[in-house]
Amino acid sequence: MAHFKKKQSGTSQGVPTAAMPDVVFMLLIFFMVTTVLREVELQVQVNYAGAENIEKIEQKRLVSYIYIGPERLSGNRVGETKVQIDDALVDDMGSIRNIMYDKLMEEPRLIVSLRVDEDSEFGIITDVQQELRHAGTLRINYSTRREI
């Protein structure tokens, strides 16, 4: 009786990796497009006032934050009350109107969230509210911390 030998090829069966760079590139582009980076470096100090009845905003993309509080100085010192929009301190109250009007034109459903230090001067807060009213940004809320 004759025994048959199985022929073996010299190549090994592997996973084809020719398309892997394309897949990695597509994933990289997907994550770059869908990721939202919104890091703001605070130049003012904000200690939120407490509240019992708060509501969370679900659509964070519609929110533009305005920070009002004492300016942070070097050496853990604080200065006078300042207004910060995005990463810049606002020196002229009239420029708030222009900045927020431009943001409103980009996003008509804009919500302005005021993040105010609990010890801030009320006159500055009133001035900011007046400028927001002139800009037409009438959807305003105040950020707080929950009272426990």
Side-chain angles (χ1 to χ4, degrees), residues 5 8-9 13-15 24 58 62-64 70 80 91 100 115 119 123 127 136:
K5 279 189 164 181
Q8 294 184 357
S9 65
Q13 295 289 330
V15 176
V24 170
E58 297 300 327
L62 302 178
V63 180
S64 179
E80 61 184 55
D91 293 325
M100 297 314 290
R115 294 190 165 184
D119 297 326
D127 293 343

Side-chain angles (χ1 to χ4, degrees), residues 52-58 60 141-142 144 146:
E52 292 179 13
N53 214 359
I54 62 174
E55 184 178 325
K56 186 175 181 180
I57 298 175
E58 297 300 327
K60 297 286 187 184
N141 78 2
Y142 292 88
T144 63
R146 182 180 293 273

Side-chain angles (χ1 to χ4, degrees), residues 93-102 130-132 134-135:
M93 284 292 179
S95 64
I96 295 173
R97 181 184 313 184
N98 298 329
I99 294 168
M100 297 314 290
Y101 180 78
D102 291 342
Q130 290 295 330
E131 292 301 319
L132 292 174
H134 290 300

Side-chain angles (χ1 to χ4, degrees), residues 77-123:
R77 296 178 299 134
V78 292
E80 61 184 55
T81 301
K82 295 281 188 173
V83 178
Q84 177 181 343
I85 300 175
D86 297 330
D87 283 331
L89 290 176
V90 177
D91 293 325
D92 178 27
M93 284 292 179
S95 64
I96 295 173
R97 181 184 313 184
N98 298 329
I99 294 168
M100 297 314 290
Y101 180 78
D102 291 342
K103 288 184 176 228
L104 182 64
M105 291 298 107
E106 289 177 20
E107 177 55 64
R109 300 174 296 162
L110 180 71
I111 300 170
V112 178
S113 181
L114 295 176
R115 294 190 165 184
V116 181
D117 186 73
E118 60 188 353
D119 297 326
S120 292
E121 301 168 18
F122 194 72

Side-chain angles (χ1 to χ4, degrees), residues 1-60:
M1 209 186 278
H3 291 281
F4 296 101
K5 279 189 164 181
K6 192 175 192 181
K7 288 186 179 180
Q8 294 184 357
S9 65
T11 62
S12 63
Q13 295 289 330
V15 176
T17 59
M20 192 174 301
D22 294 336
V23 172
V24 170
F25 185 68
M26 292 299 287
L27 283 172
L28 178 66
I29 288 179
F30 172 77
F31 287 116
M32 286 174 54
V33 169
T34 59
T35 302
V36 176
L37 301 175
R38 294 182 75 180
E39 290 295 323
V40 174
E41 183 179 328
L42 283 182
Q43 298 177 27
V44 297
Q45 176 178 312
V46 177
N47 294 323
Y48 301 111
E52 292 179 13
N53 214 359
I54 62 174
E55 184 178 325
K56 186 175 181 180
I57 298 175
E58 297 300 327
Q59 295 177 324
K60 297 286 187 184

